[in-house]
Amino acid sequence: MPSIDGCREECGGILSPMEQLPIGIFDSGLGGLTVASEVMTTLPQESIVYFGDTARCPYGPRNLEEVRRFVIEIGTWLEARPVKLMVIACNTATAAGLALAQQAFDVPVIGVVLPGARAAVRSTVNQKVGVIATAGTVESGAYSRAVRTLDAGVTVFSTPTPKFVDVVEAGLHKGPGALEDWLAESSDVFVRPSFHELARDYLAPLKRSGVDTLVLGCTHFPLLSAAIQQVMGPRVKLISSAAETAYEVAEALRRREHLAPSDHEPEHGFFTTGDPLEFARLGSRVLRRRIESAEYVSLESLMKSPSAELLTLVDGRGDASE
Ligand code: DGL
């Protein structure tokens, strides 16, 4: 199993102290940049290595075992950079593989489901929480389990909204500027006829169940929050796990005394299995900061990176993580 110490030996003893290592963040594509953005805001001195597995996006419709394998591949790649902590900035990958990643890797691994569940439990007054997510996340039952663990008195109503991922992807490819602005501005031509109808259909059962809190259980969805809020009405509080996840990252690093010093100049790196030019262009809109360039990582090299020992952990593992 690769480790920070292993890398330290391989690199001939030259390695920055742990505090200066980057935080690794990954997602099936661009959605996890909503989490990276919060981490950059909460911890401006920290360097980030972001990995978007765009070539295999979406993860949502895939079976959990396949997604677990992706988690091990990307986690192995990140650990070899090395990084001091990993964030699985994808709900589907968190639901499928967080527990496995925590077992497989030597650095702390943080997912997005528990932080989102925690924020929802804190927010609900009537003890009714809705969750919208990919089919994979909903079917895993990860949010229901996480909420039950935190407060068994809260009832969770979950609905898969897989087409929301397509709306975000389509929106990113169509208009210029920040996606939320574009959705708001173009609501007459694009959002109203297609998205609002779709959102009303998807969200009607949740509205009927009377939830006062709705978890955006997919890292793509914060980009649609204005339109989702409009459909759900002003009384329903929308929860994105991004801010809570960033807080958890800060706490985990603080506890280990691995926070970068406040005068540290961060350097961010962006990697994708898809087209790096497109990743930098579209990613800049999600991140709301300019991504100068992204680097291509081939699926072939990624699939070769985990050891046979790690891959045996993936096989036959039945249940979801959180
Ligand atoms: N960003 C992923 C998540 O949070 C959803 C997109 C996908 O299906 O890959 O679940």
Side-chain angles (χ1 to χ4, degrees), residues 63-262:
N63 74 52
L64 294 183
E65 184 160 333
E66 186 178 23
V67 177
R68 265 194 284 282
R69 193 188 172 95
F70 297 167
V71 169
I72 290 299
E73 288 170 1
I74 299 168
T76 303
W77 186 91
L78 282 173
E79 203 175 41
R81 297 291 307 166
V83 295
K84 60 183 170 186
L85 178 146
M86 278 182 222
V87 181
I88 307 183
C90 171
N91 290 266
T92 316
T94 298
L98 177 68
L100 176 62
Q102 288 171 332
Q103 183 188 345
F105 303 118
D106 290 338
V107 294
V109 186
I110 289 176
V112 283
V113 171
L114 195 54
R118 195 177 292 125
V121 166
R122 213 179 287 140
S123 146
T124 185
V125 175
N126 71 2
Q127 313 295 304
K128 290 180 184 175
V129 167
V131 176
I132 52 172
T134 65
T137 302
V138 170
E139 281 161 23
S140 76
Y143 271 101
S144 307
R145 267 197 305 285
V147 167
R148 226 180 9 249
T149 308
L150 294 165
D151 186 339
V154 175
T155 306
V156 177
F157 301 85
S158 307
T159 303
T161 55
K163 287 195 182 138
F164 282 0
V165 176
D166 303 338
V167 169
V168 171
E169 295 287 329
L172 280 171
H173 284 86
K174 278 185 185 168
L179 183 68
E180 265 178 339
D181 299 345
W182 180 76
L183 282 173
E185 282 161 20
S186 62
S187 58
D188 285 339
V189 289
F190 176 65
V191 174
R192 186 155 296 152
S194 55
F195 181 71
H196 273 257
E197 205 176 301
L198 179 71
R200 266 197 300 271
D201 283 355
Y202 272 152
L203 301 173
L206 292 177
K207 281 188 85 170
R208 273 199 302 275
S209 60
V211 299
D212 68 354
T213 301
L214 178 65
V215 179
L216 306 177
C218 170
T219 50
H220 277 66
F221 297 172
L223 298 163
L224 298 172
S225 57
I228 293 171
Q229 186 79 69
Q230 213 177 323
V231 174
M232 289 305 289
R235 288 209 200 96
V236 174
K237 174 115 176 28
L238 301 190
I239 302 285
S240 143
S241 48
E244 190 75 15
T245 303
Y247 174 76
E248 197 154 305
V249 169
E251 274 310 297
L253 292 177
R254 205 183 330 271
R255 274 197 307 276
R256 289 169 178 80
E257 299 186 348
H258 288 166
L259 279 172
S262 55

